């Protein structure tokens, strides 16, 4: 589903932008031109992109934005969960589905399925995970402010194309 060649990605993109516009209206936030440009640049594919790739994508269409303006837009988009930061790749992913972000607080967990073959990232529904993590933290007397789970492996498209996990044999001393 997330291979850009086998679905109508235009639908994903316009849905994600429409959802961001709607939430901005409901929550009294401003989707400025800069913020929308950055969101749209991220939505060109389902692979997480670095801030510099975002700048390049925007530069390909209009004027090259300054790094600071892109980082500011990213701060806004990530803070309000229109996009997410994928720490292990130092990259950003636009939120394609709602995943209840409007209703859940900023401490609600995020789950990402990262394909090691094609580089795609899928955001999964955290469902019961919030309660489970809260229980684990509470047992340690710990108060969590954010939980992000990155799951690495092979996406459905790569699996059906017959790719296999790379087997790394590292020897640790
Ligand atoms: Zn798509
Ligand atoms: Zn999301
Ligand atoms: Zn894949």
């Amino acid at each position: 589903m997330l291979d850009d060649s086998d679905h109508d990605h235009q639908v994903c993109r316009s849905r994600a932008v429409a959802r961001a516009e709607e939430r901005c209206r409901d929550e009294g936030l401003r989707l400025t031109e800069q913020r929308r440009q950055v969101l749209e640049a991220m939505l060109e594919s389902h692979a997480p992109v670095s801030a510099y790739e975002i700048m390049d994508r925007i530069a390909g269409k209009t004027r090259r934005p300054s790094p600071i303006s892109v980082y500011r837009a990213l701060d806004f988009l990530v803070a309000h969960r229109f996009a997410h930061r994928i720490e292990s790749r130092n990259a950003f992913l636009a939120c394609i589905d709602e995943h209840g972000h409007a209703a859940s607080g900023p401490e609600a967990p995020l789950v990402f399925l990262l394909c090691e073959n094609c580089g795609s990232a899928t955001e999964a529904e955290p469902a019961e995970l919030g309660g489970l993590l809260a229980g684990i933290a509470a047992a340690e007397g710990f108060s969590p402010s954010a939980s992000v789970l990155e799951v690495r492996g092979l996406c459905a498209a790569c699996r059906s194309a017959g790719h296999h996990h790379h087997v790394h044999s590292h020897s640790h001393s």
Side-chain angles (χ1 to χ4, degrees), residues 114-128:
L114 306 177
C115 181
E116 290 173 310
N117 184 62
C118 70
S120 74
T122 305
E123 184 175 353
E125 202 65 57
E128 306 303 308

Side-chain angles (χ1 to χ4, degrees), residues 8-131:
D8 188 354
H9 187 60
Q10 201 57 46
V11 174
C12 296
R13 282 166 66 171
S14 43
R15 262 210 335 244
V17 174
R19 195 174 288 116
E21 283 171 342
E22 192 184 304
R23 267 187 57 205
C24 281
R25 259 199 317 274
D26 292 350
E27 296 172 34
L29 304 168
R30 278 184 62 228
L31 192 64
T32 60
E33 194 48 39
Q34 189 79 63
R35 291 165 177 172
R36 172 197 294 271
Q37 247 176 18
V38 169
L39 183 64
E40 285 176 345
M42 270 187 281
L43 284 165
E44 281 183 23
S45 80
H46 287 282
V49 281
S50 72
Y52 279 90
E53 286 174 284
I54 291 170
M55 284 173 225
D56 285 345
R57 287 180 181 183
I58 295 172
K61 293 202 169 120
T62 167
R63 256 173 6 101
R64 185 173 194 82
S66 67
I68 186 78
S69 67
V70 169
Y71 281 114
R72 280 205 192 111
L74 283 169
D75 281 348
F76 169 87
L77 294 169
V78 169
H80 296 284
R81 298 198 156 183
F82 298 121
H84 306 295
R85 196 176 141 78
I86 307 294
E87 301 280 346
S88 67
R89 296 203 191 154
N90 194 20
F92 299 87
L93 179 72
C95 189
I96 295 287
D97 288 306
E98 175 45 44
H99 304 116
H101 292 329
S104 64
E107 67 292 329
L110 297 171
V111 183
F112 300 103
L113 309 176
L114 306 177
C115 181
E116 290 173 310
N117 184 62
C118 70
S120 74
T122 305
E123 184 175 353
E125 202 65 57
E128 306 303 308
L129 195 60

